[in-house]
Amino acid sequence: MRGRYIGEFEQMVLLGLLQCRDQPYAPEIRKVLEERASRPVSRGALYRTLDRLAGKGYLEWEFEDPTPVPERGGHPMRRFRITEAGRDALRASRTALLSLWDGVESEVERA
Amino acid sequence: MSSHPLPPATAERILAWFLRGNPAGRCVLGDLRQEFVALSGARTPARARRWYWSQVFGIGLRYMGLPIVIRPYVTAHRRPGIAYGAAENVRLAVRTLRRRPVFTGAAVLTLALGIGANSAMFSVVKEVILSPLPFAAADRVVQVWDRAPDASPASARPMSYMNFADYRSGNEVFSRMVAFTGAAVYRVEDEVLESVRSRYISAEFFEMMGVRPFDGRLFRPDEDLQGVVNVIVVTYEYWQRELGGEDVVGQVLPLQRFVGVRGAPWVQSGYEIIGILPPGVDLPPGLSSTGYGSLAGTDIFLPFGLSFGGPAIRGIYRLRVLAELRDGVTPEQARANLQGIAAGIAEEDPESQAGLTVEVAPVVEQPRRAYGAALGFLWAATALVLFVACASVSSLLLGWGVVREHELAVRGALGAGTRRIFGQLATEALVLAGFAGVLSLGLAYWGTALIKALAPPGMHRLDEIGVDAGVLGFTLVVSLVTVLLVGLWPALRGARRRSSEALKEAGARGGTMARTRSLRVLISAEVALSLVLLTGAGLMLQTFWNLTGVETGVARDALLRVDIQRLGPALSKHRGDEALIALFQLLRDRVEAVPGVTSFAMADIGPLTGRETTGGDITLTDRSSADNAHAMADWNFVSPGFFKTLGVRFLAGRTFDEDQWVATRSAPPPAASDPPDYSAVANPLEVVISDAMARKFWPDQNPLDQIFHWGRQDPDILRETLGVVRWAREWDPRYPPPSPLKVVGVVTDVRDRLEGESGPTYYTLNVSWGTRLFVRTSVEPAGMAEVLRREVEAVDSEITVLRVRTIDEIVSELSADSRFRALMVVSYAVMATLITCLGLFGVLTFAMAQRTREIGVRVTLGATRRDIARLVLGQGARLAGVGIGVGLLLVVWMTRYVSSLLYGVVALDPLTLAAVTALIFGLALFAAYLPARMAMRVDPIEALRKG
């Protein structure tokens, strides 16, 4: 059970990925996170988290030919995609969070 | 593609290195490039590059998770499931160290002392030796000086105008050649004269320093030439302090200036202020160890052209000369070029310039020359302390490592690899060094303040010394090197041990001493280095004691020296010999009336001024020209009662007739049309000479009644004039008037400096330049300073008392250099010896603990307590003995480096060596005594059971 929980930032990265819909690459995920969650996201933290999520099997990527984007200097592009395991993890943490939120929303709102 | 801006290549390479081994690393590089391009459109290139750099380190740190240095350990130890990161290593190290507070405290303190002393010393060396001099192209600026044939290469004699002019016009190696010289100037304000610190200076000097005027202009090259151009440049500080910071450019300042022309040596006129120097101009300090002139502290600069006065004689040396080398010219080439000119000068004027040698030395080397030997010695001492500290901590870690072998072996058996254990031990060392580094910084601040407080006053850039970024960097480097020295050896040892062997041995508990050979080597090395330091300390202390106890030639108890501002002919009153004699008598009456004063005298120089006596030319009538070529002696003007007041002993003869005053010596030679006054020739002036002068010029004769002359004269003409033809013959106007001086007494040498030999000196009766008053008292002199100051200043409002000091105080000031060295080295030596004793104690205690079982067996077999004590003490004695042997060899090797710093003691002083050896040996035995006592108390049954 323990292994299926994911951290807050990991959740945000996965959700941000999904928000982008069309297999985004890292800077696009970062942009979405900064815009929607309105918090600064350091590139180091993002890349590290993406690597870690891939290591856990929650997302995967494929390399794309960089030729159409000359300013990359020939370095390949990496497009991310969430895996089924990733969806499961998101779902599990959503369920857990919702059950924890159940009945306390008014408490929090009042404060 | 190339139309896109590219990120900094180095930054990109660093990022690629951070990401090496990451399968998607190149994607990250590509992402960043793309973002960089997008950003470059919106920001300046510099800001975009800065952004890229910050990203590189942001990402790098995330991927490393910790500083680069520890990275290899981390990757090496990472195991699935177990967090073996460096953070864990550090945490483990801190925990382990905290379990041993005494060990940790000792190690950190020892290291911090070593590093702190090093940082403090470095901050001094950096300012005094490494800091650039205030020239636009300091590396090309050289000092040029003439050297008399018998002078040492380093003693920089000022240069004559004529020689300077010849070098300047004839050389092919300098782009600029400038000179400066002191000026005697008083500011006239409401009939009162106020001394102003002033210099004549070449116009190009300011250019050479890269100085631009704050206001107005600086000197023009044509103002370098002889002619009256009454203009001055003032410093910003003088302008603020004395001129009220108002708009003074173009205003005229009335000054009285010494021009040295016969009849009217002092001229008063107005000088136009043409410019103000910018604030904080850093004027070059003294340019050699012989006090070769300094511009620091000058208030007013006068154009070089005004400095011409008196005769143009090659034998009058007044200028200090600097030059800027042309591109690609070495100082050696410049010297060769000038030496060619010097040869021509010597040919043209063989009488005063025979054997003329010229010296050229880069100014950047001057502070190094002045303080190099002393600072080098302290530096070496500091480094030794650091080494001893490192060795000590290393032996502590090593000893601890041996104790922990069992623990490490267990860890190894449980699966920790060699690298893992190495990483742990290295991290412990790193943590120790880290704590020590932080602590040492505090010690460095404190040590720097201490050095500043103890350093002799007047040391170059003393005020600038402080712990700064450079010192921090240095501390960091020293810390890291220390980590390597301290940490890696034990870490390597710890890591190398095969766990199975260690487990076996640890179980068996025997033969540990065989493995502590490196420990013993370290301890012996510490003993050796401590011996070297203690010897140095002993020698420095003796030097200091010798200097303070040196035979000064005066009776030191109850003697005060009162320094007053120069009277001389500059003051508005007391002008002329008669008035000055009257002033002296006024002063004497007033001072001698003070209760407790027994006698009073006055002199122009007096003892213990700290200056190097160069002496002036004299001529001995009964010698040939060649013999007279380098006859020089120092001429002192003294008042009646001088010898009695100072307690200078007469070796032969008597003091001079105290009514026969000698005229001022500043009279220049007469012009050809001005027939000299020879009336004095028949009636020679009486002089008293020093023992050194008697020994030098009349070694096998009775010096009494011998006759000599002041100045460089032709002895043939003198003989003819005085002996055969008397003064009927026309006197050669190139020579000073032939006043003969007759020796009536010989006194003991009176020292000007504490070190070295006293030069030949003669005394005549004159008070015209008197600046020093001497007061002998029948009561404790220290309490009389205020009374004397009041009484002396009451005689005339134009007399200002500068300082009142006892001779003992002066001696203590003059020996400040040596006291500073002695104090520093002694504290270093004490520190090193303490550290060594701690180390020795630690190692023997540790060895004892290892041998408890063996001792138990011995006691069981009948060994007495005495045998056991002998066993342990013997071990300590052997370690110390080897160290002392090596240390003595080191001392022999270092003798040649310290000899120049010693006075009155030889570098291989047997007494010092014996004392130091005994001290070290005694301390070593004491350090061994405590473990020995422990050993004697070993209960055999307990020991065997534990084993």
Side-chain angles (χ1 to χ4, degrees):
Chain A
M1 195 59 196
R2 188 168 185 269
R4 290 190 47 200
Y5 277 108
I6 49 178
E8 187 212 9
F9 190 62
E10 287 175 336
Q11 274 185 62
M12 287 175 68
V13 170
L14 284 178
L15 290 170
L17 194 163
L18 289 170
Q19 288 285 347
C20 295
R21 290 166 207 289
D22 183 28
Q23 295 200 11
Y25 74 120
E28 288 171 348
I29 301 177
R30 196 178 149 269
K31 217 170 139 212
V32 166
L33 284 177
E34 293 209 326
E35 279 171 2
R36 297 230 175 189
S38 48
R39 63 176 264 185
V41 174
S42 88
R43 287 167 184 79
L46 177 69
Y47 286 122
R48 198 87 175 86
T49 308
L50 287 170
D51 285 352
R52 197 165 54 239
L53 287 171
K56 290 179 180 176
Y58 294 160
L59 52 76
E60 56 193 20
W61 69 68
E62 62 190 37
F63 291 114
E64 191 178 271
D65 177 21
T67 323
V69 195
E71 56 262 45
R72 293 186 69 89
H75 294 302
M77 258 165 144
R78 182 160 60 145
R79 292 222 176 258
F80 293 92
R81 186 172 56 224
I82 192 160
T83 61
E84 209 40 56
R87 285 178 210 279
D88 286 347
L90 270 182
R91 220 176 288 124
S93 65
R94 180 168 176 276
T95 314
L97 281 176
L98 282 179
S99 74
L100 282 170
W101 272 107
D102 203 19
V104 297
E105 264 170 64
S106 54
E107 280 292 304
V108 176
E109 284 304 316
R110 201 184 56 204
Chain B
M1 222 164 112
S2 58
S3 62
H4 298 293
L6 289 176
T10 316
E12 203 166 39
R13 265 200 295 279
I14 292 174
L15 184 59
W17 183 81
F18 279 137
L19 296 169
R20 75 202 183 288
N22 186 323
R26 290 190 59 212
C27 301
V28 177
L29 288 175
D31 288 352
L32 267 197
R33 267 206 181 194
Q34 206 176 334
E35 290 194 76
F36 179 80
V37 171
L39 203 76
S40 295
R43 297 195 194 175
T44 62
R47 286 191 62 188
R49 276 198 298 276
R50 262 205 308 279
W51 172 86
Y52 193 89
W53 272 105
S54 69
Q55 292 308 318
V56 165
F57 285 103
I59 294 173
L61 277 180
R62 282 287 173 172
Y63 272 82
M64 311 281 298
L66 37 97
I68 303 164
V69 226
I70 321 176
R71 172 91 181 164
Y73 308 141
V74 185
T75 45
H77 315 141
R78 190 170 288 134
R79 293 269 164 81
I82 307 171
Y84 269 130
E88 280 75 17
N89 255 348
V90 170
R91 223 169 291 148
L92 182 61
V94 170
R95 215 162 43 221
T96 320
L97 292 172
R98 263 176 49 188
R99 273 209 305 270
R100 302 251 173 167
V102 177
F103 162 82
T104 309
V108 166
L109 199 66
T110 307
L111 267 182
L113 279 175
I115 298 176
N118 245 298
S119 301
M121 207 57 226
F122 180 76
S123 56
V124 174
V125 170
K126 189 174 92 48
E127 276 309 325
V128 176
I129 294 185
L130 305 179
S131 284
L133 288 159
F135 292 105
D139 52 329
R140 280 191 288 139
V141 175
V142 292
Q143 182 189 343
V144 184
W145 70 95
D146 279 346
R147 179 157 68 90
D150 52 352
S152 84
S155 84
R157 183 175 73 179
M159 198 183 280
S160 68
Y161 290 106
M162 291 176 72
N163 288 12
F164 172 63
D166 287 348
Y167 291 140
R168 174 137 89 164
S169 59
N171 85 80
E172 291 151 9
V173 288
F174 299 137
S175 51
R176 293 190 183 109
M177 194 166 179
V178 298
F180 67 96
T181 182
V185 171
Y186 288 81
R187 184 176 164 200
V188 187
E189 210 176 0
D190 304 332
E191 298 292 302
V192 176
L193 297 176
E194 187 191 320
S195 171
V196 180
R197 292 173 296 180
S198 47
R199 297 278 188 284
Y200 300 105
I201 195 163
S202 293
E204 284 182 314
F205 202 100
F206 292 119
E207 268 174 51
M208 212 156 106
M209 286 179 59
V211 169
R212 313 197 61 79
F214 176 76
D215 194 8
R217 65 170 178 93
L218 302 178
F219 298 128
R220 286 192 308 258
D222 59 288
E223 285 159 349
D224 272 3
L225 305 175
Q226 183 158 12
V228 181
V229 196
N230 282 356
V231 292
I232 54 170
V233 167
V234 300
T235 61
Y236 181 88
E237 289 73 20
Y238 185 76
W239 174 56
Q240 287 290 331
R241 194 176 66 237
E242 302 291 335
L243 304 173
E246 289 157 22
D247 185 14
V248 292
V249 173
Q251 284 188 19
V252 172
L253 206 62
L255 300 176
Q256 179 161 298
R257 188 167 67 90
F258 182 78
V259 290
V261 175
R262 194 183 206 197
W266 291 84
V267 167
Q268 185 174 325
S269 55
Y271 291 77
E272 185 192 343
I273 301 172
I274 56 164
I276 299 168
L277 291 179
V281 167
D282 191 9
L283 295 165
L287 291 171
S288 89
S289 52
T290 50
Y292 182 80
S294 165
L295 285 174
T298 305
D299 289 327
I300 285 184
F301 290 97
L302 296 102
F304 190 64
L306 282 179
S307 65
F308 293 90
I313 293 178
R314 288 198 190 272
I316 294 182
Y317 312 110
R318 295 189 56 196
L319 303 187
R320 288 82 160 82
V321 177
L322 294 171
E324 197 174 283
L325 292 171
R326 285 198 180 141
D327 265 339
V329 177
T330 66
E332 290 70 35
Q333 289 165 338
R335 192 187 164 278
N337 181 258
L338 293 193
Q339 189 57 51
I341 303 171
I345 295 173
E347 210 166 285
E348 181 193 314
D349 187 357
E351 253 178 71
S352 70
Q353 305 295 317
L356 177 71
T357 321
V358 63
E359 297 286 344
V360 175
V363 288
V364 288
E365 283 176 12
Q366 295 298 350
R368 242 169 265 180
R369 260 178 214 223
Y371 302 111
L375 284 176
F377 184 83
L378 290 182
W379 184 254
T382 319
L384 284 187
V385 172
L386 184 64
F387 277 129
V388 170
C390 286
S392 201
V393 175
S394 211
S395 64
L396 280 171
L397 278 173
L398 200 58
W400 193 22
V402 177
V403 174
R404 289 169 65 193
E405 252 170 23
H406 191 240
E407 173 207 332
L408 296 178
V410 170
R411 294 178 65 108
L414 290 178
T418 304
R419 278 197 233 168
R420 166 86 189 106
I421 288 178
F422 176 84
Q424 188 200 331
L425 292 178
T427 310
E428 272 167 24
L430 200 76
V431 169
L432 276 183
F435 281 132
V438 172
L439 186 60
S440 68
L441 204 63
L443 287 173
Y445 270 105
W446 182 75
T448 311
L450 190 74
I451 292 177
K452 273 172 87 164
L454 294 176
M459 198 182 218
H460 170 47
R461 299 179 73 96
L462 187 63
D463 296 338
E464 311 283 318
I465 294 170
V467 178
D468 62 4
V471 177
L472 286 178
F474 182 79
T475 309
L476 200 69
V477 170
V478 172
S479 302
L480 285 176
V481 170
T482 308
V483 166
L484 290 180
L485 284 176
V486 170
L488 293 195
W489 191 4
L492 278 172
R493 265 191 63 95
R496 232 187 12 230
R497 307 228 8 105
R498 302 290 342 138
S499 53
S500 56
E501 286 170 36
L503 275 174
K504 245 184 284 166
E505 281 180 22
R509 289 279 168 94
T512 7
M513 268 327 265
R515 283 183 279 115
T516 52
R517 191 171 46 219
S518 33
L519 262 178
R520 287 182 289 165
V521 169
L522 279 175
I523 288 296
S524 294
E526 279 181 54
V527 172
L529 295 180
S530 298
L531 180 93
V532 170
L533 272 170
L534 273 180
T535 309
L539 294 174
M540 290 293 153
L541 269 182
Q542 283 196 49
T543 298
F544 171 61
W545 281 323
N546 287 343
L547 282 179
T548 44
V550 78
E551 182 56 55
T552 53
V554 301
R556 279 163 62 168
D557 52 318
L559 181 60
L560 280 158
R561 193 178 92 188
V562 181
D563 297 353
I564 60 171
Q565 201 160 32
R566 169 158 296 199
L567 291 175
L571 297 188
S572 49
K573 282 177 273 174
H574 320 300
R575 215 172 270 174
D577 292 337
E578 293 298 317
L580 281 164
I581 292 167
L583 176 69
F584 163 72
Q585 279 156 354
L586 267 178
L587 279 167
R588 180 169 62 184
D589 293 348
R590 188 111 196 182
V591 171
E592 286 190 346
V594 174
V597 171
T598 54
S599 69
F600 173 84
M602 189 167 168
D604 66 335
I605 304 278
L608 301 173
T609 50
R611 79 199 170 102
E612 193 165 9
T613 42
T614 46
D617 294 332
I618 59 165
T619 307
L620 292 104
T621 329
D622 57 350
R623 312 279 158 93
S624 67
S625 282
D627 282 347
N628 270 311
H630 302 297
M632 287 179 120
D634 209 33
W635 187 358
N636 278 2
F637 287 1
V638 300
S639 76
F642 177 80
F643 302 112
K644 186 184 124 212
T645 305
L646 271 75
V648 180
R649 278 185 301 120
F650 272 85
L651 300 173
R654 55 171 177 86
T655 185
F656 23 62
D657 181 348
E658 300 209 334
D659 291 328
Q660 194 193 21
W661 295 82
V662 174
T664 316
R665 64 169 152 170
S666 59
S673 59
D674 187 5
D677 172 19
Y678 297 135
S679 58
V681 174
N683 189 16
L685 296 168
E686 294 183 348
V687 298
V688 170
I689 64 170
S690 73
D691 191 28
M693 180 153 177
R695 283 197 312 267
K696 178 162 182 193
F697 297 114
W698 298 282
D700 307 317
Q701 303 165 47
N702 183 1
L704 295 182
D705 293 331
Q706 298 284 358
I707 300 268
F708 64 97
H709 295 257
W710 172 68
R712 174 87 52 238
Q713 314 206 23
D714 185 335
D716 292 333
I717 300 180
L718 277 179
R719 262 197 297 280
E720 207 177 315
T721 314
L722 298 170
V724 187
V725 202
R726 287 275 161 155
W727 51 88
R729 191 194 138 120
E730 191 69 13
W731 183 254
D732 185 335
R734 282 189 300 138
Y735 299 109
S739 307
L741 307 168
K742 188 174 85 171
V743 179
V744 297
V746 181
V747 291
T748 51
D749 291 326
V750 173
R751 283 182 173 274
D752 253 323
R753 299 185 311 147
L754 296 177
E755 301 97 336
E757 296 292 314
S758 302
T761 307
Y762 58 104
Y763 301 89
T764 58
L765 199 61
N766 187 307
V767 287
S768 57
W769 291 94
T771 54
R772 299 209 158 88
L773 316 177
F774 296 91
V775 180
R776 183 162 293 282
T777 63
S778 56
V779 297
E780 176 55 40
M784 300 193 65
E786 270 322 296
V787 185
L788 288 175
R789 181 186 292 268
R790 208 169 47 235
E791 289 301 311
V792 168
E793 291 189 341
V795 169
D796 190 308
S797 61
E798 285 188 7
I799 298 177
T800 312
V801 172
L802 301 174
R803 299 170 87 179
V804 183
R805 287 173 295 174
T806 64
I807 296 294
D808 284 335
E809 282 166 353
I810 295 170
V811 168
S812 133
E813 275 171 39
L814 288 179
S815 54
D817 257 323
S818 123
R819 182 176 57 224
F820 175 58
R821 283 199 289 272
L823 260 173
M824 295 284 289
V825 180
V826 166
S827 45
Y828 285 158
V830 167
M831 208 147 58
T833 310
L834 275 181
I835 292 172
T836 301
C837 286
L838 267 177
L840 192 64
F841 166 75
V843 166
L844 287 179
T845 309
F846 151 75
M848 259 303 308
Q850 293 295 297
R851 293 174 75 180
T852 309
R853 184 189 158 98
E854 177 202 330
I855 290 168
V857 172
R858 280 174 191 260
V859 172
T860 316
L861 293 178
T864 60
R865 287 161 66 104
R866 179 185 294 238
D867 293 332
I868 301 300
R870 196 179 294 142
L871 184 76
V872 179
L873 286 177
Q875 205 179 352
R878 270 197 304 281
L879 290 178
V882 171
I884 286 170
V886 175
L888 287 176
L889 288 178
L890 282 175
V891 167
V892 171
W893 173 73
M894 75 165 195
T895 45
R896 60 189 146 145
Y897 299 106
V898 296
S899 295
S900 68
L901 296 171
L902 303 179
Y903 177 78
V905 56
V906 290
L908 279 179
D909 179 43
L911 197 70
T912 310
L913 287 179
V916 164
T917 306
L919 181 67
I920 286 246
F921 201 71
L923 284 172
L925 283 187
F926 179 70
Y929 167 72
L930 295 172
R933 225 177 51 171
M934 232 165 68
M936 288 191 296
R937 291 188 181 155
V938 165
D939 176 0
I941 305 193
E942 188 65 25
L944 288 173
R945 188 183 303 145
K946 251 170 67 184

